[in-house]
Amino acid sequence: MLELARKEILEILTQTTVILRNTQNRDVIQLKNLSESAAKNASLSQDTNSISVAIITYALSKIIEREDSKFRCTKIIVLLDRARKFLSQNNEALFQDCLRKVLREIEFHDEKLQLYLQEVINKAQIKKGCTMCEVGVSTAQASQVMGVSQWDIMGYLGKTSITDQHAASHNVKIRLQFARRLFQ
């Protein structure tokens, strides 16, 4: 795992457990933002652990959103603390085992986990497609490579300032080098 991805996952897990411990006022929006951040990390670093963390935080936000403060997540907090400890010790096998246990707990509580999984992966693909467009790849090519529709990519591009910042065009050599790095 890349060191940058590891640090970002540690930070997301820390913030997630802080939010979950606050039983009086759990911030669902912050959990969704953490999920977005993890999905962005996953799309940039191709790290499966970031995808798992994105799914976990998104699923927790959905459960809390529906059930408000009724959701008791003591076991999940303990597992997330263990996962954070193992990741900080660079013990990736035990870290991943803890994440699997968290996902099983969520799945036990909410049968919609597969929908959350698909949604997080889809968002990551769209963001990766937008990253490709940022360096000059067309939306048609990016959508074909990432397996999402052009409408999804254009919708996301419209919400960002990527197209405004693209006044200075990159030369072909730089774009080719970037494209090659994407598929390594």
Side-chain angles (χ1 to χ4, degrees):
M1 174 187 311
L2 295 173
E3 183 61 23
L4 180 63
R6 188 179 78 78
K7 286 180 180 178
E8 289 171 345
I9 289 172
L10 283 169
E11 181 60 29
I12 290 169
L13 290 176
T14 300
Q15 290 179 28
T16 300
T17 55
V18 167
I19 292 168
L20 294 178
R21 282 189 175 100
N22 184 1
T23 57
Q24 299 301 321
N25 187 21
R26 291 186 178 143
D27 192 350
V28 174
I29 294 170
Q30 182 62 25
L31 277 174
K32 287 183 181 180
N33 290 340
L34 290 171
S35 175
E36 290 288 326
S37 177
K40 181 181 177 185
N41 296 341
S43 68
L44 295 175
S45 66
Q46 300 294 309
D47 180 47
T48 56
N49 294 319
S50 294
I51 293 172
S52 296
V53 170
I55 292 164
I56 287 168
T57 54
Y58 184 75
L60 288 170
S61 75
K62 292 304 240 179
I63 291 169
I64 292 169
E65 187 175 54
R66 283 196 314 267
E67 298 185 17
D68 201 21
S69 61
K70 298 175 191 171
F71 177 59
R72 301 287 175 237
C73 51
T74 311
K75 192 170 184 179
I76 291 173
I77 291 170
V78 169
L79 289 168
L80 289 175
D81 282 338
R82 283 184 194 157
R84 193 176 65 218
K85 180 183 106 180
F86 292 134
L87 186 58
S88 66
Q89 296 170 349
N90 287 322
N91 191 336
E92 201 167 332
L94 289 176
F95 166 73
Q96 290 171 345
D97 185 53
C98 284
L99 290 185
R100 279 191 291 276
K101 288 177 182 176
V102 171
L103 287 168
R104 276 194 300 253
E105 278 296 312
I106 292 171
E107 192 171 22
F108 173 74
H109 189 77
D110 191 347
E111 67 279 351
K112 295 181 183 176
L113 180 65
Q114 293 303 318
L115 294 174
Y116 305 148
L117 169 72
Q118 191 56 45
E119 188 168 336
V120 168
I121 291 172
N122 188 37
K123 285 180 181 180
Q125 289 171 315
I126 292 169
K127 287 179 183 181
K128 187 74 164 188
C130 288
T131 303
M132 292 172 70
C133 292
E134 189 175 353
V135 294
V137 176
S138 73
T139 56
Q141 291 170 321
S143 69
Q144 185 178 18
V145 168
M146 296 313 301
V148 295
S149 75
Q150 286 185 55
W151 291 109
D152 289 336
I153 291 177
M154 288 188 290
Y156 188 79
L157 283 171
K159 294 177 186 174
T160 65
S161 61
I162 290 172
T163 53
D164 298 335
Q165 297 169 357
H166 200 51
S169 179
H170 297 282
N171 70 29
V172 176
K173 187 175 182 179
I174 293 171
R175 291 184 359 214
L176 185 59
Q177 288 172 344
F178 177 78
R180 286 183 177 148
R181 278 187 283 147
L182 283 174
F183 299 105
Q184 289 181 348

